[in-house]
């Protein structure tokens, strides 16, 4: 996830630098809202890592909701960026924090150790990228 988000962030920042992606005022406002939503959903590592798995997964799902709602409200490069971010974070949709007694869990799986941290770090990278591209 982190590698894919890093590539996505680099591409977005390059497009901004090369003036291929000119954010409209509406896109800028929406990107700021998304950045804020990501920051509110996933806190700093020292805060997130002490939370129970159930809460960490809930926060990551909130990130997906923030991205999906914003995606529904835009088009063009910002939509493509948000769509790619959702695709990268898609494995979170299959994670579960609760045990499944009889293996009938609709295809969900408990994440491997470290996957919460990896996903949270990816979200922080997205948040940083959105802050950078909206600052100019």
């Amino acid at each position: 996830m982190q590698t894919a988000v890093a590539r996505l962030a680099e591409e977005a920042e390059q497009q901004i630098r090369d003036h291929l992606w000119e954010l409209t005022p509406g896109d800028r406002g929406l990107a700021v809202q998304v950045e804020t939503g990501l920051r509110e959903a996933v806190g700093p590592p020292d805060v997130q890592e002490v939370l129970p798995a159930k809460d960490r997964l809930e926060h990551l799902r909130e990130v997906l909701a923030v991205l999906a709602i914003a995606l529904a409200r835009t088009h063009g490069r910002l939509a493509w960026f948000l769509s790619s971010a959702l695709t990268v974070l898609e494995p979170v949709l299959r994670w579960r924090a609760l045990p499944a007694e009889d293996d009938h869990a609709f295809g969900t799986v408990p994440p491997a150790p470290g996957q919460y941290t990896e996903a949270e770090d990816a979200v922080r990278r997205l948040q940083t990228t959105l802050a950078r591209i909206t600052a100019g």
Side-chain angles (χ1 to χ4, degrees):
M1 267 184 214
Q2 290 177 340
T3 302
V5 166
R7 280 193 300 258
L8 178 62
E10 288 168 13
E11 182 179 354
E13 291 170 357
Q14 185 65 47
Q15 287 186 22
I16 296 289
R17 277 192 305 275
D18 292 346
H19 303 286
L20 297 172
W21 183 6
E22 300 280 342
L23 277 92
T24 66
D27 282 349
R28 187 174 306 281
L30 183 58
V32 167
Q33 289 176 3
V34 172
E35 185 270 331
T36 300
L38 298 184
R39 189 172 4 94
E40 289 173 354
V42 173
D46 60 327
V47 172
Q48 287 299 123
E49 291 175 5
V50 297
L51 295 174
K54 182 176 156 276
D55 292 342
R56 290 176 83 179
L57 182 55
E58 180 180 305
H59 292 189
L60 289 167
R61 289 177 179 160
E62 286 176 23
V63 164
L64 295 172
V66 167
L67 292 169
I69 290 168
L71 176 60
R73 297 173 43 203
T74 192
H75 301 281
R77 291 186 194 273
L78 181 57
W80 305 336
F81 176 81
L82 297 174
S83 176
S84 294
L86 278 162
T87 299
V88 169
L89 294 170
E90 181 270 336
V92 170
L93 294 173
R94 293 188 305 275
W95 294 353
R96 70 170 190 265
L98 302 176
E101 296 174 16
D102 58 5
D103 260 355
H104 296 287
F106 302 99
T108 60
V109 297
Q115 283 187 297
Y116 285 120
T117 300
E118 181 181 359
E120 291 160 351
D121 287 345
V123 170
R124 287 185 199 97
R125 177 70 158 109
L126 286 170
Q127 182 261 322
T128 299
T129 300
L130 286 164
R132 282 186 189 146
I133 67 174
T134 58

